[in-house]
């Protein structure tokens, strides 16, 4: 029996800093599993009849696609989802939670039905997120500045100084906004920078240094600690899944 392939697609969202993505999973026993790496983000994921929040991960999350069907989702930038969902990020860390466990069930049922009936569920989900953002307002500019500084490779100490927070204050606010402390977020974002550079064809050693690691061995250790696999195995899994891009880091899936 020929291998059945998954098809992943993503595009920038009209919501600032977010990405809309879809995953088409064929039925059958041969569809390969997917490993989702930590990325500092949270996702709102729709599958027929269900809305799930994927909290911020601290380790790779492997999902067997045979356990659920195709989906559409919006991936929020670091620090954004807690404002929209009304729940601190650390309460959802390393969890996939039904939205109905966080919001009134009648409201979630109405929203789910509306997306179920939409010709394009991904766009309907994005429209909902845009409307929600208009009601809640933007995320805290301070936490947005923290995420931006760490994303650009600044140290935790310099980022704290730039936003005018002490170490304890920064840690507390980071837990609520990102799901973990700034040091963990910095490591995750650095790993994602390195993987993005490798996808462009840059050799591992060069990508490691450009991303802020001391050397290739440092990057390899971070990959093992945060992803539980080697870089080579990660990209090989992406090729096996036959996605449009090598195993995308942010494509969350439901449990």
């Amino acid at each position: 029996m020929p291998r059945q392939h998954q098809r992943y697609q993503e595009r920038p969202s009209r919501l600032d800093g977010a990405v809309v993505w879809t995953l088409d999973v064929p039925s059958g026993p041969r569809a390969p599993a997917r490993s989702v790496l930590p990325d500092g983000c949270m996702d709102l994921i729709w599958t027929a009849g269900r809305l799930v929040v994927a909290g911020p991960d601290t380790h790779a999350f492997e999902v067997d696609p045979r356990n659920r069907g195709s989906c559409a989702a919006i991936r929020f930038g670091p620090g954004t989802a807690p404002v929209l969902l009304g729940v601190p990020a650390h309460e959802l860390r390393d969890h996939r939670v039904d939205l109905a466990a966080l919001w009134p069930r009648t409201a979630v049922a109405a929203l789910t039905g509306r997306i179920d009936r939409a010709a394009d569920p991904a766009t309907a989900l994005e429209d909902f997120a845009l409307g929600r953002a208009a009601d809640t307002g933007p995320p805290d500019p301070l936490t947005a500045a923290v995420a931006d500084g760490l994303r650009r490779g600044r140290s935790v100490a310099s980022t704290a100084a730039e936003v005018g927070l002490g170490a304890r204050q920064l840690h507390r606010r980071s837990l609520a906004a990102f799901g973990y402390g700034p040091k963990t977020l910095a490591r995750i974002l650095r790993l994602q920078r390195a993987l993005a550079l490798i996808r462009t064809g840059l050799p591992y050693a060069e990508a490691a240094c450009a991303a802020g690691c001391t050397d290739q061995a440092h990057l390899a250790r971070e990959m093992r600690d945060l992803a539980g696999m080697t870089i080579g195995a990660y990209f090989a899994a992406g090729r096996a899944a036959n996605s449009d891009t090598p195993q995308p880091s942010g494509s969350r899936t439901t449990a």
Side-chain angles (χ1 to χ4, degrees):
M1 180 182 297
R3 179 182 292 276
Q4 301 190 54
H5 301 303
Q6 306 168 47
R7 181 176 175 84
Y8 172 85
Q9 293 182 306
E10 67 175 43
R11 62 171 173 80
S13 172
R14 290 170 287 150
L15 179 65
D16 188 39
V19 171
V20 174
W21 60 265
T22 58
L23 182 63
D24 181 23
V25 181
S27 60
R30 300 294 297 278
R34 299 176 62 88
S35 289
V36 180
L37 268 57
D39 57 9
C41 299
M42 294 172 59
D43 298 49
L44 181 60
I45 305 168
W46 168 88
T47 57
R50 189 181 180 198
L51 281 167
V52 173
V53 178
D57 291 328
T58 59
H59 53 79
F61 187 91
E62 185 168 305
V63 176
D64 186 341
R66 292 172 295 183
N67 294 337
R68 55 98 184 96
S70 301
C71 55
I74 182 165
R75 181 168 72 245
F76 302 104
T80 303
V83 177
L84 299 180
L85 300 176
V87 60
H90 65 83
E91 293 188 6
L92 303 178
R93 183 174 56 229
D94 292 324
H95 289 296
R96 273 50 176 173
V97 179
D98 282 334
L99 185 61
L102 306 176
W103 286 8
R105 289 185 176 273
T106 53
V108 174
L111 173 61
T112 305
R114 187 162 74 247
I115 298 173
D116 285 348
R117 293 187 298 271
D120 182 356
T123 297
L125 189 61
E126 182 183 28
D127 289 342
F128 161 73
L130 286 164
R132 180 71 180 172
D135 291 338
T136 61
D140 183 354
L142 187 146
T143 55
V146 169
D148 183 64
L150 297 177
R151 187 183 295 109
R152 290 186 286 111
R154 296 180 65 90
S155 69
V156 172
S158 63
T159 299
E162 184 176 347
V163 299
L165 289 179
R168 290 185 179 180
Q169 289 177 308
L170 178 59
H171 187 81
R172 183 175 64 253
R173 295 182 72 158
S174 293
L175 285 177
F178 312 121
Y180 21 65
K183 291 184 179 179
T184 298
L185 179 62
R187 292 178 64 201
I188 288 170
L189 294 178
R190 182 175 60 200
L191 176 62
Q192 289 293 342
R193 285 197 303 275
L195 294 175
L197 290 169
I198 292 170
R199 290 189 188 100
T200 69
L202 204 64
Y204 290 0
E206 293 181 34
C209 293
C213 295
T214 54
D215 53 24
Q216 183 175 335
H218 181 195
L219 174 59
R221 290 193 300 272
E222 291 290 80
M223 189 70 181
R224 286 195 300 270
D225 288 347
L226 294 171
M229 67 183 77
T230 65
I231 299 173
Y234 169 73
F235 283 105
R239 289 190 294 271
N242 197 34
S243 300
D244 289 341
T245 58
Q247 197 71 32
S249 62
S251 58
R252 309 299 189 87
T253 44
T254 58

